[in-house]
Every structure is written in C-alpha cells, then in structure tokens.
Amino acid sequence: ETITMKASTSIVFLLSCTATKAASGFQLPKATTAANSASKLSMSISPSSIGGLLVRGGAAAEPALQNFYGDALGYFGGIRIPASFLAGSSLAAMFIFKTKANNGEELSTLERRVLGFYHFNSLLAFLLSLNTIASATIAHTAVLHGRFNKMAETAYMMMRREFEYEFLSVRWSFLCSLFCFLGMIASRLLIEFDLLKKDTNGEDSKNKKEIALLVVCSLGALATHLLSYVNQNLWCWQSLIGMTIYLGKMIVTRAFVEARPLQIVSVGLTAASAFYVAKIGLREMKGKTGDVAS
C-alpha cells in the first residue's frame, strides 16, 4: 500500500508539472509579443520624452521656479558701466567741431550735412546713454526694496513680469545709444581727415574718396551685423523697430492713461524736438536746392 501511495503521488506530481509547463508554454508567445512591442515603443520615443512620461503619472515635467533676485541686481548694476563710457565719450564729442560749425560757409553741402549728422548722433548718444544710467540706477534701488515676486522660470521672464518698463527702457536706450555712437564715429572720421573735400589734385581726391568709402563700409558692416544679432535675440519682438513701437505705446499709456503730468510734458517736448529736427532737415534740403539753382 505504501508503494502504491508513493506511485500515485509521483504520478500526480508529474501531471501537475506537465500542466504547468503547458500553461507556461501557451503564455510565452504573449510575453514575447509584449516585450517586442515595448522595445519598438522605446525605440520610437526619445529619452527625454520617456523621462517626461515617468514624472507625475505620465505628465511632462514642469520647469522648476528659481530665485533671480541676484540676476536683477547684476543686470541693472552692470549695464551702467558701458553706458557711462558712451555718455562720457559722446558728451566730449559734441564740442569738438565748434569752429567748423561756425564757419559753415567754408564747407561743402555734403560736409555740412555730415557735420550736422555728427552733432545729432552725439546728442542722441549722450541723452540715451544718460537715460540708461538713470533708469538702471532707479530700477536697482527698486530691486533692493525687494517687494516683488522673485521666483520665475528664467531671469528674463521675471524681469518682464516685475520690471517691464525699466527693463525695456534700459535695453532700448542702451542699444540705440550704441548705434548713434557708431554713426558719430563714422561722421567724425569723415570730417576729421577731410575725406569729403574735393582737392584739385585728382589722385589725392580719388584716394580720399576710397578711404571715405572704406570708413563707411566698415562701420556700416559692424552696425548691420550688430543690428541683425540684436533682432535675433530680442525674444519678444521681431526687430528693434517693433521694440520701439511697443515702448512708445507703453510711454503713451503711462502719460495719458495713468495720467502722469511730468510724463505728459516729456511726451510733448519729445514731439517738439522731432518737429524741429524735421524742420531743420527740410530747411537744409531747400538750401541745397537754392545753391544748385544759383
């Protein structure tokens, strides 16, 4: 009987092992198919996407917020250094060609125009760089006050959100003063070395003309290169012109919508300055026409 029980137990054990192998055999194709599908799916999804799917139940990871208090202080404090250089250089340059400006009758029409362009650019460079220094200093004090939300995804987003007018005004003023400074340098080179004078000697006149073209082309290349790079990195505007229009709308809003009296006066004086610049330019054009007619 004992032998019979052991035999029956062995038979039952063998039958159960056979059934288990059979069941596992039927499941192997499914497991293989699932593994192949998973491998194909992992090959079609980039590693960064897989990392994002593993966060928060399959949702993409949100960028972490950071404190950019120090970046704001560094920006408003650092931009004053190059702006101070532009302000000092343009201020000194405004009073260099006083004698030539007083003796305008000895200059040709082209020389008078270039001289006027020189003084106009030096004045604009000085005003815009001085505005950069003053606005950055005031904004720096506002940052030190600390009553703003310092957390953001990037320092740029924090500056646009908390200090939009100051950030935009400082950037625009500095960039425009830089281009005015380049125009002033080109004009000064043409006037200082008498590259616009017509000499009796044909060879000297030809050499001066070529040097003048060299000055204009080289500084023009630098100005257009910088302008192209600036337009590519404005982020919120397609060009410096769009940035200028946006800043103008912001200033008009601050003046007339928010009813700031001194801002209204500033807008009025700016409009008057533009009017007189246009008037002087038209007068110069009429003078040239009269010279040609006579």
Side-chain angles (χ1 to χ4, degrees), residues 146 149 182 252 287:
N149 185 7
L182 291 177
V252 171

Side-chain angles (χ1 to χ4, degrees), residues 105-154:
E105 66 277 0
E106 299 178 1
L107 302 176
S108 64
T109 303
L110 181 59
E111 286 178 315
R112 288 201 308 268
R113 286 193 170 189
V114 173
L115 184 61
F117 183 75
Y118 168 81
H119 285 106
F120 178 71
N121 277 276
S122 61
L123 177 61
L124 276 183
F126 172 71
L127 294 176
L128 292 173
S129 56
L130 188 61
N131 180 69
T132 302
I133 297 170
S135 299
T137 303
I138 297 170
H140 194 272
T141 306
V143 174
L144 292 176
H145 194 55
R147 293 189 176 182
F148 62 93
N149 185 7
K150 310 172 186 64
M151 306 301 293
E153 297 178 10
T154 63

Side-chain angles (χ1 to χ4, degrees), residues 262-276:
L262 292 179
Q263 192 73 58
I264 296 175
V265 174
S266 176
V267 171
L269 293 176
T270 304
S273 301
F275 169 76
Y276 284 113

